[in-house]
Each structure stands twice: as structure tokens, then as C-alpha cells.
Amino acid sequence: IFGFENFGVNSFEQLCINFTNEKLHKFFNHYVFALEQQIYREEDINFSHIQFTDNTDCLELIEKAPTCVLRMLDDECRFPKGTDESFVEKQHKDLSGHKNYIVPEDKRRLKMEFGILHYAGPVMYSIKQFLEKNKDVQQDMLFDFMRASSVTFVKDICRFQDLLAATMEMTKSIAVNKDKLNESNTQRRGKPTVGDTFKQQLMALVDVLDITTPWYVRCLKPNSVKKPKIYEDELIITQLRYSGMLDIIRIRREGFPVHVPASSFLDKYRCLAVNEKLPESDKLAVAHILRSLKVPETEWQIGRTMVFLRNSVFDPLEERRLVLLTTKIVLIQKTWRGYLQRLAFRKMKAAAVRIQSWYRGRRQRLWYIKQRRAIILIQSHLRGMFARELYAALKEQKRKEEEERLRKLREEEERKRLELLAMAERDREELRQKEVQTSLEAAQRELYSLAKMAESKVDKALGTGGEVDLDKMFTFLVEAPKEVAKERDFLSDLNKELDGMFQSSQPKPEGGRTVRRKRRIEKKLLILQEEEEAAKKQTDTVDDPAQFDMLTFAEKWFNNHPKDITGLGTFTMRRKKFTKQEAIPKAEMVRYTKSVSIPTSLIHLHDPENVNLACTIWKDLCKFMKGDLKPEQVNITIQNIIAYAIDRPELRDEVFCQIMRQVVENPREEDTDRGWHLLCLCCAAMTPGRSLTKFLQAFLKNHFNNERRQRFARWCLGTICLTRVAPRKHPPSAMEISAVRNLNPLICRFYFLDGKAKAVGVDPSATASDVLRALAEKIELQSVDGWALYEVNPEAEHYIKGHEYIADIIGQWERDKRTSAAMSRYQTVSKKGHKEALGGGDSKFVFRKRIFRNPREIPQDPVEYHLMYAQAVHSVVQLDEFPVNEKVALQLAGLQLQVLWGDFEQGKDSRYNEPSAHIPCRILDEKPRSGEMWSSALAEAHREFGTGKTEIQAKVWYLTSVKHYPLYGSTFFPVSYKGFWSYPNNLVLAVDLSGFKFVNLRSKSIMADFPYTRLESISVDHDDPVVVLNMKVRNPEEQKCYMFETLQKEDIANLIASYSPTHSNWSRVGEAKTKTYHLSDEEKMKLYDEVLSARRALAENNLLQRPVDTSTGFLTTTLRRPSRQKLMRLQKQKENLPFEKVFKQNFWSYSKSRLSQPISIILGDELEDTACKMFHSLLVYAGLEKAGGFEMENDDQHMGMAQMVISKCLEKEALCNEFYLQLVKQTTDQPDPNSRINAQNWRFMAMTCSIVVPRSKEILSYLMAHLRKCSTDSNTEEGKYAQFCMQCVQRTAQNRNRKYPPSSQEILCVTNR
């Protein structure tokens, strides 16, 4: 509110300001005094009329037309020759009779000023420039320039050029009195004046105040000098008087300033009369309360709806109520704080009790562990003592038995000796046997001495000339070998001495302890004897097949199939659940059926795609067993069925169950034979699951009594009982299918390096180790240590690992259309045995030495010595692995020819027509000669270096000479170096017992030699033929790694691992490393507790959306609506539910169905729909749904869909957190950790972890806890993927989130780890 202004000179501005205050003062009086009296009259309150100052006359003087100050001023402004003096003269003339108009008493100032008696006092106004200020002539040129401005704000100011028009436009937007506005519009002619505009604005202001609830702030000026700490009493009294404050104070004293509705009064002050019984009427109740409080009746009145109080009553009431409320609040606070303290005390007590329980439990566990260790130590000592006693007793018993046997033997020998002395012929026979034994021992000593002497001669030759000269190495053959047999005499003397000690020992008198020990030993011997007998009986008998009947397996694992009413295998398409009475009995589901289709798989399968494949396999099985297939389709069908089972472990038991069902009580013998044939092939290719193994064994044993089926049953039982590292990789070949039909083995040809071959029968389930032992037994090789099988084809040479199946390699030959996959003619020297065998074409199985544990060792087995000699000839002549010159090559060729043909014979030149069979091709190419010259050179070498030596002597000399080359015992791998170095890029990598060497491909010289201690690790590229040797660098100048390109990358890594066990854990480049964890039950429980804690943190931080309650039925949700109190009570119960009951296990675990709402709290319907669609995409990617996500056309591998989902995670933080919760849900509590569905979910998890990590710390903690828990089992695909995801999360968190989704190639690499 403006303050009144009365200066020494008051002009037009002061008139406008004081006019505004007059207007607002009238509005204030009307609002305060008139409305107050109106309320009193409406409520029938006895009151005296309120007197207050009315300034209506003053306002009419200023603004009421036609005769008023502002109207006369406007008229004078519009008059052409109007002046300030003419204006004041007309005003004195027309307004001098008004009681509020003041004419100056001083005649001299009559034409200079006029006065108005305001409610605050008289004010004299100087008329100087009155007309000019009222006109306020605007500069049109200025506004023209402003309109031409390029600034929008300056242009906008131009609309205020017509100030009154702008005011009218603004006023029309407010609900004001339109009649007044129209009246003012009609009265205005020409341009508006300042007074007219000010009047219209003031009118609009009053109208706005009239429709609002105003609050007045009266400002008092403490002094007129505008300085602090000065208080002028007269000035304050004057301001209070003309502002109406004194009238307000008087009215509040005389009237009732406090108006309270009766109901509100009761609600507020009922607490002051708690013990009083109040009437039902509100007015009577109010009167009763006031009288009970002894309030004078002159100080209050009760109207129709309100209670009117004076301040003398209202203030004590408020004070009493405040005191009462304060007392009650203190009581409530005291009670609540006591409750909080008791609650805190209980929590502290519970926490203390829990800590004490954990501490005491920990202390007890430590005490238990110490006691247990002590007990184990005592038990170990005691059991050791018992074992030593038992051993001593057994040894004593054995000694006595041996003494008894020796005594009987001596008696028998004595009897025989007496008989032999009597018979001369027996004496001569005994002498002859001694001579034969002596000759055998001499032959063995000769072989050993020959090898030793040859080594010494070669050492001497190398020491003098640096080159082996064989013509100086044969002089020792006439020398007698030295005998070395002192150890045998020493051992015999030691045995005699021990026997004497036992014989001379005297028994000690038996005491009480000795008797107890004797009884204990006898009891232990009796127990051992009983265990041996029980084990013998168990091996002789067969388990009772009745304990593992297939009906029991079916009742536990089979699905329910609806009854086929028509008998033709047709089923309804309606989604109608059938009862157990409508399902096929399990007894019928384990017997033959004519139905050619099934509605679903026999056993429970989790992957929907596997269920569809099971139904397809059933159809193919029925066609195969009924003979409805064409001959060329039979093998393809068998291979497809077994290939599906090998590729999908979940289908293996399903295939076994389908075959077993169709061979039980099958009316056609031919169909049954086909089923048993397929069952044999399945048993050879894979093993059943743990749950089916016992039942399959019982099923096979039940058919032992069937003459037609027992050979198939026994063959299958023997096959599945074999210990296997892994199932087959490929389905059976056509040759295998044909061989198993008659239960015959596969006849395969195995080659040796001496040019010979052996045909061996290979079972379909036989591994390379089994075949290796069979070959060793056939050729009478004593030990297979270091020997291996190799697959040699035109492209490369491949080492066959011991656990690989020979049948898989033959199957690969068939798929590659190699000639070795067909049977070829095979003849032996004796013309006995097999006539045809596999492996006689472009691919071969080769038997040779792989690992040389001690290259200088002399083998005692003649067969092994011959094979090593043949391998040495092959290395020198065919492979050219040693730096042999022409002279040494001819000397070695002479020894080789001596082994082949014996002594040199004149005239048999045809033996020397093939120089390439005895001389390396490198030498033949370096020394271009005719064939006759090489033949004569070979004949001369045979005559000079070989003649006169036995076969064993020639082999010893040949092998001993080759052993002195540094590269002997090494395995050679042709490689190409990837990079730049000082050596040739094409070289040979030689691997042996001591380390690996870089060998020049041409000169066979060693360019670099590294021991295994210098090798840090080996890396094999997953896709490209590259192997990397990472070295330990001792100084900066040394090279860190060597990268070679070779097709034998894995053979190199495996061979290095065989020689150096520290490098056995070689890794593939591009494939994530996995760690093996050995955790106790306590550590596993700790990981599970971490997952639960992370889930609890998610719930406590309100990040999860509560699951929809589906427990209410139809009637409770439709026919009855609970009350508000009940709804609040139910809501409060839900909020107070513990964490485990709100978010149950199915909320966190794997689900096959779609989500009805997001897992986390997401704001926005559009984001919620996107989150649900992302989960549908995850179901589609796993194979549980066919559509419903972000799938795209021509996107069979769903790469585009994965990129779309990850891009959504990159765009919105809420969607990223939500999708990680979905991924953790789909990888939790999977029924089969190795299933395809779980693998797909983990692949999606790996893709997401490689691009973006959760933005929420709680969700990230939950993710890491889940990955740690799943990564403990590294034998499953789940464990491998979990470890890989942990590496991806750590890498992504360190490098920050990516900006764009992954490419298709990156998706392929990440999904393959």
C-alpha cells in the first residue's frame, strides 16, 4: 500500500499517489468494518454500531464525473489553449463549494495551487506543469525507430505506446466490472491522458482485490530523517491515526475479534473438559464448556453457527490448551522413546546373543577341529601300529609257509637228485639244459656289450675328427665282453643273511599285551578273509535286475501321454489338460507301440527344441525299425539319430528309452533286430545318464536268457561298462554300422616304420590307448611307454591322443571321402587272418616313438630295439632330419643293407637299384650321378661296412651312430616364423627332453637352443594355425615371444607339455582360461549367503517391484469389495512381511514364461513395455519362444536382436539394470547346467558384460555374487561362462561402458569365449 505524501511542493505525482491511498483506504474500511458488522448481523450477535471514518466524499471530489479534479484536468488538456492557470480557475469556480476542496487563503497563490482534504489531512498541490504531465506527450519518432529495431524485446516495448489500450487489454483478461470499462471507453475521446490511464489501472486493481482474499501490511516510518535508532512519537501517532489502525484497535476491543465455528471449537477445546458430559447440540456443548471453565458470559457469545470470543477469553483458552497438549505430548514422547529404547535394547541384545553364539560356535569348532586332528593323529598311529602288527603276522605266516614249501621242495629235489644220480641219461639232459641257459645269458650280455662298445668307439671317433667314421669302429667285435653280475650275488647273500636272522630269532614269552595283540591280529585276518570271500562272490554274481525295473524309471521320469483313442497316433490340438485317468499307463509306455508319433518326449526335457527333436527321432526310429526306409536312407537315419544325441546330451537318455520301448514285446523279429542293432551303435557312441545307467544295465541283463538277443545284450553291457573320458565326437560310419550289425570289430591296418603292417580288430568304443596296447600285445612289445599312434594323410601328420576314438577318425575319413575309409585287400606273409582291412589308402595309422625319456638308453626288449632302429632309418633316409654327409650316408646304408640282405653277394645288383630307399634325397640331389653309379656305391658300402656282421650287430651300430647326433630324440615340426628376425622364416622346430631348438631347414644346424626353464607359457590360436612361445626375458635385448605358423600347433603344445609338466596348462588364444576351484561346504555356503545378502540389499533399497499377488480367487476379487480399513490393514501386513516371503524363490529363479511386469521399479509405461520386450527377446534367444521380442527378418542367429537389446541398455540406465536382473534370473537354478538353453542365456550374459555393466551398485554386487557362486564348478559350461563373464565385467568396469552395441563378429567371438 502506498504511503500518503505531503511535501513542501506537491505536484501531479502526489495527487495520483494520494488518490491511490484514498481508494485503497476505502476498500480497507469496507473490508474490515462493513464485513465485520455484516457477520454480526448474520449470526444474531448483540453489538453496538461501529463508527469509522468514511472518505467517500474525498474520492468523489477526485474521480466522480462530471465535476471532479481528474475530469476537469482531462478537459483542459484537450482544450486547444488550455493552461495550468485556466485549469485552476475553472476548478476554483466549480469545486469551491465542496467540503473537501480547499481554496488557498493567500490570494497571491490563488492561481498557483489548490488543496484537498484527505482522510489523513489537507494537502496543497502546485499546478505547475499539471497539464504537461497529464498529457505526457510521447515521441512518435522514438517509437518508429524502436519498431525498426532488430531486437525482439525493443519491438515488444512498442505495444505500450498506447498505454490505456494496453491497460484495457490487460484488464479484460480479469473478471472485472465490464460496465465501468465500457463507460470509460465511451467517455474517452482521442488519446488517453495519464490521469485517465491511472484511474483505469486503479479501478482494475480494486476489482482484482475484490475477488481475492487480501492481507494488509501497514508500514510505519519511525522518523522523517531516515536514520536508525530515532523514534518520533508524534509521527508514529499520526501514521496510526490516518492509516485506520486506531479504529481497528478500538473495534477489536469493543467487538468479538475471534470467530470460531462451533464444531471446530468442540474439536479444539473438547480436551479442556474431558470429564464433563456434554449435550448433543454443538451450541449447548460450547456453552457448557465455557461455563465449566468459568468464563464470564459478557466475554463471549454464541451465534447461529459460530462462537464469538474476545481476546481476554481466547488467549487463556489457548494457554490452557497449550499446557494440556504439552503435557500429553511429553507423555507420548516419553512412551515412544521408551518403546524405541526397549526395541533398540532388544536388537542389541539379539545382536549380542548372535555374536556370542557365533563366537562360541567358532570357538567350539576350533576346539572340535583340534580334537579331531588329535584323534586322527592318535587313530593314524594306532592304525599304523595295527597295520604293522598285521604285516608282521602276515610276513611271519608267509615265512612259515615258504619254509614249509622249501622244505617240501628240498625233499622233492633230494628225491629227484637221487633218482637223477641213478640214471645217466637224466644227467646228460640236465647238463644240456645248463648249456642252453648259459648261451642265452651270453647272448644278452653280448647285446649289451655291443651297444656299449659301439658308443665308446663312436665317442672316440667324434673326439678325434669331429665326424663319425664307421670303418674304424669294428675292431672291438673280436674282444670278449665284460661280465657285470655282482649285484645278483650281493642280493642272494643279503637274502641268505635275512633268512638266517629269521631262523635264529627265538620267540619271547607271551604276556597280556602280546595275547591281546595276537587276538587282534587273528580277528583282523578273519575279517580280511571274509572280505575277500564276499568280493569274490560279488564278482561271480550279477546284480538283481528286478531292483532297477524300467517301470520304476518311467514312473519317476516319464511324461504323461494322452491316450490315443483311434490307435493311429493322432492327437487333439486343443490345449486341454488331461487327468491321470486319461493318460497312458506307465506300464504301457515301456512296451512296444504301433503309434508312429508321440505328443511329447518320453522323459522330461527342459529345452523345447529338444522336445521337438525327440518327436522327430521317434518318427525316424519307427520308420527304421519297420523297414520303411530306402537302403540309401538307412545309414543316414542312424547317423542323424546318433548325431542329435551326441550333440545334445539331454537327448541321450531319450534315445535310449525310445529304443528300449520299441524292442520290448515287439511282434516282428526283424524289427527287433534293427532296434538292437541301433541300441548297440548308441552304446558304442555314448553313455547313458546317471539316472538311466543302472536301469539300462538291468534291461540288458534281463535279455541274457534270450538266445537270439543275449549276444547283443552282452555286447552292449560290456560297452557301456567301459570307462570313458568323453563320448564320441561323430556318429558311426557306414563301415562301423555294417560291422556292428554282426557284432564284428572294425579291421584296421596299422603301419610300422619298417614298412610292415598289422591288421587289428578295433571295437567301435576302442580308444587310441586300447589299440596301442592291442598292437603291442600282437607284436610282443613289452612296454608302450613313449609310443603313440599317428594319423598320416596327404595334408599333415596328426598325433592321436590316448582318449580319442579310432572309429571317429574312420568316420571323418568317410565324410572327407578318403580312400582309406573303404576296405582294401590285405595279405600277410603266412596268408592267414583277415583278407580286407581299412586304412590302406591316402590316410594311414602309423605306430612310432613319440616321447624319448632317455634317448641314450639301451632298450632290453629286442622288439622295441628293432622298432627304434626302423624309426632311425626312417628319420635319416625319408625325413632327412640329421646333417648326414655323403660318406656317413653310404656307411649307414651299408649297415641297413646288411640288416636287409645279410652278407654281400656278388652278382645281385638288383638289391641296389633304389638309392632313395637308403640315401637321403638331399644328397642324391646335391650329387647328380647316374643310377648305376649310385648302385655300385651302395654295393661297395654293403661289402665294406656290412659284410661279416650279424643282423643285431648291424642294428646296434646303425642306431648307436645316429644317437650321437644332437637332434636324435627330437620331434621335428616344419614351421614358418611370423615376423622379422635374423634367421630364415621357414625352419624346423625340434622338441625333445631338454627343450626346444630352432633348426635350419637346409643344413640341419641348430640356430638357437632353449631349455624349458626359459619358456614361460604356450599359446595356441583358436582359429588360425599359429602357436606362440612366450619366453622369460632376462634382459631387454632378448626376444619376448616367438610366433610360428603351422598346422601341428596342438601337437607342439601337447608334446612340450608331455616333456615339461609345468607347461601342461597351455592355453588357446581367443579362448578364456578357466580355473579349477576346490571349495569346502562352508565356502560354498558362504557364496550362497553372499547372494542372499545381495538380494536383501536390493529389496531394502526399494529397487525391486513387488510381485503381483495371484493368490486371490475370482469371488474375492469381484463380488466383495473390502473396506478401506481392511485394505489398509492388508497393505500394512504386506509391508511388514519378511523379505523371503515377499520375494520368494521363484521370483529369482529361471522361468519359461513371459514376465507380466518388470523385475525392478521403472518409471514410465513405455520403459516398462520395453523391459518386458527385452525379456521376451531373451526367451527367443534361448529357444523358449519363437516371437515376441526384437527379432528381425533373416536373422537366424538372432544377432540383430541381441544388438537391439544391448543398444537399449546403453540408452537407458534403468533398462540396463533391469536386463541384468533378467539375465541373473534366467541363469539361476537351471535344471540342467549343461543344457542348450542355459548356454544361450550365458552367451547373452557374456555379450552384455563385454559392453556395459550395471549402473546400480546393489545390482552390480548381486551380479558379482551370482557369478562367483556359478564359477566354482569349472567342469560345466555354466562354470566356464561364469568365469568368463567375471573377466568381462572387470574389464568393462575398468575401461567404462561402450558407446555402441557389438558387431556380428564380436558376438561370435564372445559367445565362444
Side-chain angles (χ1 to χ4, degrees), residues 353-365:
V353 170
R354 188 168 185 179
I355 293 173
Q356 290 173 356
S357 63
W358 277 91
Y359 173 73
R360 291 168 182 167
R362 174 70 177 172
R363 187 174 59 183
Q364 290 297 322
R365 282 191 293 275

Side-chain angles (χ1 to χ4, degrees), residues 821-832:
M823 302 292 285
S824 59
R825 298 290 297 174
Y826 174 77
Q827 292 183 354
T828 59
V829 177
S830 62
K831 296 184 180 181
K832 296 180 181 179

Side-chain angles (χ1 to χ4, degrees), residues 415-427 430:
R415 184 179 61 80
K416 288 182 179 181
R417 190 180 63 80
L418 294 175
E419 291 179 357
L420 290 174
L421 289 175
M423 300 174 63
E425 294 180 357
R426 295 291 297 274
D427 292 342
E430 184 179 2

